[in-house]
Amino acid sequence: MRKKKILLIGPYPPPYGGVSVHIKRLRSLMSGLFDIDVIDETRIKKDGVFNLRSLNIFRYLQKVFAADIVHIHSGKFIFRLLHFFTAALFFKKKVITIHGYEPGRGDKIRTLDKIILNNCNRIIFVSKELAAAFGSKKYFIKEAFLPPDISDEPEIPAGVAGWIEKKKQIGYMICVANAWRLDRHNNEDLYGLDLCILAAKKLKELNTQAAFIFIVCDSTGVISIEKYKQQVKDFELEEYFLLVESPLSFIKLITKTDVVLRPTNTDGDALTVREGLFFGKTVIASDVTFRPANTKLFRNRDSDSLAQAIAETTGHKQKNPGPVSDVTESVTSYLQFYNDHIYSQ
């Protein structure tokens, strides 16, 4: 019997962001039950994965036409609109997952998004808060987190690993955060790199032994990274703040550090937060949305509050990943959810 063909559309790693990692893990998880194909929306082209930005329209149409179900994960409205209408053109079943949504989007775009959602076969929100923002009546809520396979993750660069080891040898607590791109939301730094630098400055003044690693996967964002490099120098933080300008395995990085930071000024169900908790790390996040249990919160856009939360952190003893039974239960839950409610429609 022919397997049903599912086309996943959205960002595919690298760069390693919450949505791209989710699509990669979902592809791997579902490949045993379905024939899974992918269209990548990122600027980084990969071997064996079709990239939307190649502008090969014939190949794009061919992939959509061959699919039984088109599953859209796009964050950009223009991509979401394109995929929806193309799938509708070929009378394909349409599934859309909303991973996050910026409240500042105009009324026209929000209205069009609601029309798109109301005409999809299945809608998935990663949190109740997102579902409430849209007011949709027919939807499923399913968190984006899938347990990672550490053995499948590349090692982090030797320079980064060496920097961490050097700091740990002299007793420093290592805090880590990341950004897909340095973008703005409400005319502020979306991912909070500026807050991390100011918090590092404050902690240095307090003689708190905390060091920071901030990963920027894609340097094409609207904010110039040079501005932040200069701040690190101006505040004399070179020994305390490592700014990495290339994608790496954030999962592997989490396992080598102590505190996971999520200082964003808007958010959905952040994969970074759940992965930090999964690996038994202290997780400190902004209070802009619902956060999972055991997440330590700080006031949004308040670097002093972030610095205080880090300074108060003592529970940064590393633990092993969750029990195998927990991982198996989570994977089984995902398989059953998609098989029963989403793809087997």
Side-chain angles (χ1 to χ4, degrees), residues 175-190:
C175 304
V176 63
N178 67 339
W180 187 352
R181 291 189 305 262
L182 295 181
D183 289 336
R184 290 188 181 278
H185 172 67
N186 287 340
N187 203 32
E188 298 168 330
D189 182 333
L190 168 59

Side-chain angles (χ1 to χ4, degrees), residues 17-255:
V19 181
S20 65
V21 170
H22 172 78
I23 292 175
K24 180 182 179 181
R25 293 179 188 168
L26 185 61
R27 178 190 194 185
S28 177
L29 179 64
M30 295 296 154
S31 60
L33 296 176
F34 304 97
D35 182 3
I36 307 293
D37 196 9
V38 173
I39 292 179
D40 177 25
E41 296 175 344
T42 72
R43 291 180 172 85
I44 302 175
K45 296 179 181 179
K46 302 104 186 171
D47 292 337
V49 179
F50 175 72
N51 191 292
L52 183 66
R53 296 173 189 268
S54 67
L55 302 181
N56 188 335
I57 302 300
F58 177 77
R59 184 66 176 145
Y60 169 73
L61 294 175
Q62 187 179 50
K63 283 184 172 291
V64 175
F65 181 77
D68 296 303
I69 296 176
V70 177
H71 189 166
I72 304 165
H73 295 263
S74 308
K76 289 183 176 294
F77 169 74
I78 191 65
F79 287 164
R80 191 156 55 240
L81 189 67
L82 169 66
H83 306 322
F84 172 82
F85 278 111
T86 305
L89 177 67
F90 292 125
F91 301 99
K92 301 299 178 179
K93 292 182 177 179
K94 300 171 288 296
V95 176
I96 189 165
T97 295
I98 301 296
H99 292 266
Y101 204 77
E102 298 178 8
R105 294 187 180 185
D107 291 340
K108 290 183 179 179
I109 290 180
R110 290 184 67 83
T111 299
L112 286 172
D113 265 328
K114 288 182 179 180
I115 292 174
I116 290 173
L117 291 178
N118 289 335
N119 286 278
C120 282
N121 298 86
R122 295 289 187 271
I123 307 167
I124 304 171
F125 293 102
V126 299
S127 70
K128 293 180 180 179
E129 289 73 19
L130 277 173
F134 276 91
S136 300
K137 294 182 179 180
K138 296 181 179 180
Y139 59 85
F140 296 92
I141 295 174
K142 190 66 175 175
E143 71 281 358
F145 175 71
L146 276 165
D149 181 358
I150 290 294
S151 64
D152 191 43
E153 295 290 325
E155 293 296 332
I156 63 175
V160 177
W163 192 88
I164 293 172
E165 187 60 30
K166 179 181 177 181
K167 293 303 175 189
K168 285 194 169 187
Q169 286 176 355
I170 56 177
Y172 273 73
M173 179 174 62
I174 311 298
C175 304
V176 63
N178 67 339
W180 187 352
R181 291 189 305 262
L182 295 181
D183 289 336
R184 290 188 181 278
H185 172 67
N186 287 340
N187 203 32
E188 298 168 330
D189 182 333
L190 168 59
Y191 288 97
L193 172 52
D194 58 341
L195 295 180
C196 290
I197 293 174
L198 291 173
K201 178 176 179 289
K202 180 72 172 180
L203 291 170
K204 177 188 173 185
E205 294 169 352
L206 295 173
N207 293 318
T208 301
Q209 288 187 303
F212 291 71
I213 303 175
F214 200 104
I215 310 299
V216 179
C217 297
D218 186 339
S219 60
T220 63
V222 298
I223 305 175
S224 171
I225 198 170
E226 299 303 320
K227 166 187 173 182
Y228 294 123
K229 287 181 181 179
Q230 190 60 49
Q231 280 189 346
V232 170
K233 291 180 180 179
D234 292 344
F235 296 153
E236 298 181 349
L237 296 174
E238 292 96 328
E239 293 297 315
Y240 310 93
F241 204 103
L242 181 63
L243 188 52
V244 181
E245 301 178 65
S246 60
L248 51 71
S249 172
F250 199 65
I251 286 293
K252 277 286 178 68
L253 189 59
I254 286 176
T255 65

